[in-house]
Amino acid sequence: MGGRGGSSGLSNVKSQKSSLIDISKMPDLTGSEKQVKWASDIREKAVQKINSALKFYEDRMKSNPKIETYEDEVSATREIRKTMEAVFSQTTSAAKIIENRGLFDERRISNEIENLVTQYRNKRRMR
């Protein structure tokens, strides 16, 4: 529980390669032309948000001498990215994405990252 590095999970975050979501590997959407365009825009904005957040935090972590400062942000963003990628990889219905567009809102993504970071830090404090 004590030392820096290994027991904190930092080594796991540092060793993981960044893998941004590749929108070109997402399945084609089905629906009317208007639905497909709208859902594609929703999906693209959500992917751009998560990719830019992940790149930002990973770059900060690499350039900051106190690497653990961004450890939680990177872990949280990767967790959300993984979930989002799974959802988008399995969803071909434009209507479903449109119906659930609130889940993919850029502010919601930011809030989810912040919430996970808070959870990680609270768990660590309770140990």
Side-chain angles (χ1 to χ4, degrees):
M1 266 223 276
R4 294 177 69 180
S7 65
S8 70
L10 180 59
S11 57
N12 288 340
V13 172
K14 285 170 51 176
S15 66
Q16 289 182 8
K17 255 185 156 177
S18 169
S19 72
L20 302 177
I21 297 173
D22 184 352
I23 195 92
S24 69
K25 294 185 180 177
M26 296 288 149
D28 291 335
L29 297 173
T30 59
S32 72
E33 186 176 333
K34 186 177 177 181
Q35 285 176 319
V36 168
K37 182 178 178 349
W38 189 8
S40 294
D41 288 345
I42 292 166
R43 186 169 68 176
E44 187 173 322
K45 286 179 183 176
V47 166
Q48 286 174 351
K49 174 62 180 176
I50 200 71
N51 283 346
S52 67
L54 185 56
K55 183 167 177 14
F56 173 81
Y57 291 129
E58 286 178 338
D59 287 348
R60 295 292 165 144
M61 191 171 75
K62 288 175 190 171
S63 66
N64 192 323
K66 291 188 173 188
I67 292 174
E68 57 274 353
T69 304
Y70 291 101
E71 174 187 348
D72 293 328
E73 285 83 350
V74 170
S75 295
T77 306
R78 285 178 178 168
E79 187 173 329
I80 292 168
R81 181 213 62 220
K82 185 177 176 181
T83 302
M84 184 183 299
E85 188 171 30
V87 168
F88 284 146
S89 293
Q90 297 171 13
T91 304
T92 58
S93 169
K96 285 283 184 205
I97 291 174
I98 294 166
E99 288 169 13
N100 294 292
R101 66 188 173 273
L103 296 174
F104 310 116
D105 179 74
E106 293 177 58
R107 282 176 295 203
R108 170 100 189 240
I109 293 167
S110 294
N111 288 340
E112 290 299 321
I113 292 169
E114 289 175 30
N115 290 340
L116 273 177
V117 167
T118 300
Q119 287 177 25
Y120 294 160
R121 290 182 179 156
N122 286 341
K123 280 183 185 177
R124 214 175 10 264
R125 272 180 250 180
M126 296 184 78
R127 289 187 203 161

